Amino acid sequence: MAILILTICDTTAALIGKNFGKISYHNKTVEGTITFFLTGVVIVLLTPKIEGSISEYLIAFFALLLASLSEFLLSKIDDNISVPLVFSIVYYALFKIFL
């Protein structure tokens, strides 16, 4: 899921952000970040889960939210590294804690 989120969400965020972005912060746009998150929601809903419980989906959405924020806020770190790391670490840690 982390690799899909990186490739698909980052691409759609860049396309929307560059073409329609109005509110920018360190070469990133709010519109691109919203697109990143919404595309990620579709990916989370379509990818298979380990248990398929509602809790697992909530954990994935929270990890996606943090990955989206890291993509927007951490401009000095390459998002090709930060996004999958943040998503994977948060998803795995919360999965182990709560499920």
Side-chain angles (χ1 to χ4, degrees):
M1 217 176 348
I3 299 301
L4 285 173
I5 287 171
L6 170 67
T7 55
I8 297 171
C9 294
D10 199 33
T11 303
T12 56
L15 290 171
I16 296 298
K18 287 183 197 267
N19 292 318
F20 303 105
K22 303 265 188 251
I23 306 166
S24 63
Y25 174 78
H26 291 288
N27 204 22
K28 303 283 181 169
T29 64
V30 172
E31 295 84 359
T33 302
I34 292 169
T35 302
F36 185 100
F37 181 76
L38 293 176
T39 307
V41 167
V42 173
I43 291 170
V44 167
L45 291 173
L46 293 178
T47 53
K49 304 295 174 286
I50 296 168
E51 294 181 359
S53 66
I54 190 72
S55 299
E56 191 172 0
Y57 284 94
L58 293 175
I59 289 170
F61 290 140
F62 184 71
L64 175 64
L65 178 64
L66 292 181
S68 300
L69 290 174
S70 75
E71 194 264 343
F72 182 68
L73 297 174
L74 301 177
S75 61
K76 295 186 183 199
I77 300 172
D78 186 9
D79 63 354
N80 294 326
I81 297 189
S82 66
V83 166
L85 278 178
V86 167
F87 181 84
S88 298
I89 290 169
V90 170
Y91 183 76
Y92 181 77
L94 292 177
F95 185 82
K96 286 296 185 183
I97 291 170
F98 293 110
L99 298 178

